Amino acid sequence: MTKRKIVVALGGNAILSSDPTAEAQKEALKQTASHLVKLIQNGDELIITHGNGPQVGNLLLQNIAADSEKNPAFPLDSLVAMTEGSIGYWLQNAMQNELAKLNIDKSVVSLVSQVIVDKADPAFENLSKPIGPFYTEEEAKKQMEESQVTFKEDAGRGWRKVVASPKPVAIKEIDSISALVEAGHVVVATGGGGVPVIEEDGKLIGVEAVIDKDFASQKLANDLGADMFIVLTGVDYVFVNYNKPNQEKLENVKVSDLKKYIEEEQFAPGSMLPKVEAVINFVENSPEGKAVITSLENLQALIEENAGTIVEK
């Protein structure tokens, strides 16, 4: 059996349910690890990425609540790095314990990853990613007057701070990640889309932004020459005409079909759409790679019978 190099992208919501405690998130990752090790048992090399939306939101709230002259709140790039570290630790701990249970001798390492973005990316002009708590219009406008931040009204629920969501250009630590994978380690990398940095005068500088984790994961998969890119979500399949009488699940689908469905606005922005766009990008930039969108619980069926939405050229 040929050993495949597989990048698996976990959503932040696969880690955090309704209980935001560290213990509950560690418990959720135990379940996650019990599914992910099936790929290793199958003989595959595994690289794991993860979201951090709920976690970085909670950490931001804690920083805002404790903000003072003696204990100032941290900037967003540092908060992303902190959640990369904490989730990476939980994941490597859960995976290591699961591998030990199965007597599989493999080490797991998590790497805080800097992802380079273009400072000329139009996303820095058109701020679109809401983060943090909701405010009244009056509170939001007061903060905008006092500091260089932007707030926007969010779907009738109140006003939220918005930041840039630039596209990933390069993963700074790609050579280190690649060397670890080639040495046979399970690697957790580019968590939460990676820490966003720009290059200026030969230096890397952290910026106030959030990189979409599906696009960062796709970039990682292409740069590593992965054979397969798996995006895990809450459903076993991608659907068209979702929740309508003529709902249809997509099993084996071509890139051209997915592009047609995007034109028909079949996929929700901020939900399924970035996942579909990421798998299209991966397949188009991979000589023979294929991509899959499915659920964590469906991994065994994917291994045994290719179940899930499978995307090929």
Side-chain angles (χ1 to χ4, degrees):
M1 182 178 59
T2 312
K3 185 184 282 191
R4 298 174 299 177
K5 194 184 291 181
I6 299 179
V7 172
V8 175
L10 292 174
N13 293 313
I15 306 157
L16 175 65
S17 54
S18 54
D19 184 347
T21 63
E23 286 311 312
Q25 294 182 74
K26 286 198 260 187
E27 193 55 44
L29 281 169
K30 281 185 196 173
Q31 301 302 317
T32 299
S34 70
H35 290 289
L36 291 179
V37 292
K38 292 169 184 170
L39 291 165
I40 297 168
Q41 285 178 291
N42 193 49
D44 298 315
E45 292 289 0
L46 182 60
I47 303 97
I48 308 166
T49 72
H50 60 81
N52 70 340
Q55 293 82 4
V56 86
N58 285 352
L59 190 55
L60 181 65
L61 289 174
Q62 290 167 11
N63 269 254
I64 291 167
D67 187 28
S68 67
E69 200 174 317
K70 285 189 174 178
N71 188 26
F74 281 16
L76 187 56
D77 58 316
S78 295
L79 299 182
V80 171
M82 290 162 80
T83 54
E84 255 202 283
S86 57
I87 297 169
Y89 152 59
W90 294 336
L91 247 175
Q92 70 185 54
N93 181 273
M95 288 294 294
Q96 202 75 71
N97 289 340
E98 199 62 36
L99 289 165
K101 201 191 295 181
L102 297 165
N103 292 315
I104 298 173
D105 183 21
K106 248 183 186 299
S107 67
V108 187
V109 61
S110 56
L111 193 75
V112 173
S113 316
Q114 300 173 94
V115 175
I116 299 166
V117 298
D118 185 352
K119 64 180 178 182
D121 191 309
F124 287 107
E125 296 298 319
N126 177 30
L127 306 181
S128 62
K129 181 74 177 175
I131 61 162
F134 290 93
Y135 293 94
T136 65
E137 185 174 353
E138 189 183 350
E139 288 168 333
K141 288 185 172 170
K142 185 170 183 285
Q143 285 201 48
M144 285 195 279
E145 282 167 17
E146 290 172 355
S147 56
Q148 295 285 64
V149 291
T150 303
F151 282 77
K152 286 184 182 175
E153 202 276 327
D154 187 352
R157 297 179 295 174
W159 287 63
R160 288 178 86 189
K161 180 180 175 180
V162 286
V163 297
S165 185
K167 289 283 190 289
V169 173
I171 297 160
K172 182 63 183 170
E173 290 77 18
I174 191 65
D175 290 345
S176 302
I177 297 166
S178 186
L180 288 164
V181 174
E182 293 308 316
H185 304 298
V186 177
V187 184
V188 182
T190 65
V195 182
V197 296
I198 58 168
E199 289 182 302
E200 209 165 67
D201 302 326
K203 292 179 186 168
L204 295 175
I205 302 165
V207 288
E208 187 90 342
V210 173
I211 302 165
D212 185 286
K213 63 100 181 159
D214 293 315
F215 292 130
S217 302
Q218 168 259 312
K219 177 71 179 150
L220 177 67
N222 282 123
D223 287 357
L224 288 174
D227 302 295
M228 187 183 280
F229 174 42
I230 303 175
V231 179
L232 295 178
T233 184
V235 289
D236 294 350
Y237 293 88
V238 179
F239 292 88
V240 290
N241 305 316
Y242 189 59
N243 273 344
K244 293 178 182 170
N246 59 339
Q247 173 177 295
E248 181 192 345
K249 72 178 178 186
L250 302 178
E251 294 182 78
N252 289 284
V253 60
K254 293 189 178 75
V255 163
S256 55
D257 294 330
L258 285 179
K259 287 182 173 178
K260 184 174 61 118
Y261 294 137
I262 289 173
E263 282 175 24
E264 293 171 7
E265 299 183 349
Q266 287 279 3
F267 310 120
S271 174
M272 191 56 80
L273 181 60
K275 293 172 176 53
V276 170
E277 289 176 333
V279 297
I280 288 173
N281 288 350
F282 172 74
V283 171
E284 288 191 326
N285 289 286
S286 174
E288 293 175 13
K290 66 178 177 182
V292 184
I293 301 177
T294 192
S295 68
L296 187 64
E297 294 74 20
N298 200 47
L299 271 185
Q300 188 67 48
L302 170 65
I303 293 165
E304 289 172 2
E305 60 208 51
N306 277 340
T309 296
I310 295 173
V311 184
E312 298 185 77
K313 275 194 181 126

